[in-house]
Amino acid sequence: MPHKAIYLLVVDGFADWEPAHAVAELRRHGGYRVETVGLTNDLVVSMGGLRVTPSRTVSEIEPNDVAAFILPGGDRWESKPMEVELQSALKRLDARKVPIAAICAATVAIARIGLLRGRQHTSNGLKYLQSQVPGYDEAQNYVEAPAVRDRGLITASGLGDVEFARELFEELNVLSASDRALWANMFRTAQWLNNAEA
């Protein structure tokens, strides 16, 4: 059982389905506990209407306890700047080489604070990032793929939730390589394969 936790950012309007595969399987197959992190202790409501009370706040993040930090998408990232306290926490985690995973519009948020710099990454399209992030100049590192992992940073399209989870499994060495491939293929094709029924 890992002694570190998966930290999942939960804010009003977060896209609850995007990190769902990753969190469920990291807990089930990886043995990780999950900490929901809010900007405050107040209850938040996801895009799908799930009511979540954070288990800790951004100010209570303990870097030595974080196995990976997940930022789900949501409309807020396109319309609001990231809170200074969250920016600082993410930069501290990145400096300590703690994996950070952002999906969909959350890629906009991490682009704005410079976490994409010099790393291969993806999003909801190159033009999307260019339109959302003034001064974005990392087109040479943009990869057209559902999910991309580069030196502890995982990014994904909003349509790449399965691939996003798979990259997290690989980053944290959860499941064998063949089981990761089988898992991803099953969820993408909606078909049981090989011995998956057992």
Side-chain angles (χ1 to χ4, degrees):
M1 178 85 64
H3 66 278
K4 294 186 176 186
I6 303 302
Y7 279 51
L8 172 66
L9 184 70
V10 292
V11 292
D12 278 323
F14 78 94
D16 41 35
W17 69 94
E18 291 175 343
H21 281 301
V23 172
E25 303 294 2
L26 288 169
R27 185 169 181 264
R28 185 167 71 143
H29 292 296
Y32 287 96
R33 74 181 194 285
V34 175
E35 297 284 350
T36 50
V37 180
L39 300 170
T40 68
N41 287 314
D42 296 340
L43 180 144
V44 299
V45 180
S46 75
M47 196 179 285
L50 298 178
R51 299 165 66 82
V52 180
T53 301
S55 56
R56 63 181 63 208
T57 66
V58 169
S59 63
E60 296 168 331
I61 293 172
E62 175 47 59
N64 291 329
D65 188 47
V66 185
F69 194 99
I70 300 175
L71 294 94
D75 296 337
R76 79 180 321 265
W77 302 125
E78 295 176 355
S79 58
K80 294 182 180 179
M82 185 186 290
E83 290 75 6
V84 172
E85 193 172 29
L86 179 56
Q87 284 186 46
S88 298
L90 291 172
K91 288 178 178 179
R92 275 196 314 274
L93 292 173
D94 187 53
R96 295 177 77 141
K97 302 192 182 327
V98 174
I100 293 172
I103 183 168
C104 196
T107 58
V108 168
I110 64 168
R112 288 179 181 155
I113 66 169
L115 292 186
L116 298 182
R117 201 163 292 125
R119 289 164 153 162
Q120 290 194 329
H121 58 275
T122 195
S123 180
N124 294 333
L126 178 58
K127 288 184 179 175
Y128 170 77
L129 266 187
Q130 290 170 328
S131 70
Q132 291 292 326
V133 185
Y136 170 81
D137 61 357
E138 291 291 320
Q140 73 279 8
N141 290 314
Y142 189 86
V143 180
E144 288 289 351
V148 173
R149 182 167 55 97
D150 187 353
R151 289 169 287 151
L153 183 71
I154 296 164
T155 52
S157 155
L159 302 176
D161 58 323
V162 169
E163 294 81 4
F164 181 67
R166 181 180 174 178
E167 292 297 339
L168 271 158
F169 304 161
E170 192 158 333
E171 182 70 27
L172 298 174
N173 200 27
V174 170
L175 299 174
S176 67
S178 60
D179 284 348
R180 288 191 292 264
L182 179 64
W183 179 90
N185 201 16
M186 282 192 310
F187 277 96
R188 271 296 164 239
T189 64
Q191 298 196 11
W192 295 100
L193 303 170
N194 299 336
N195 296 324
E197 293 148 303

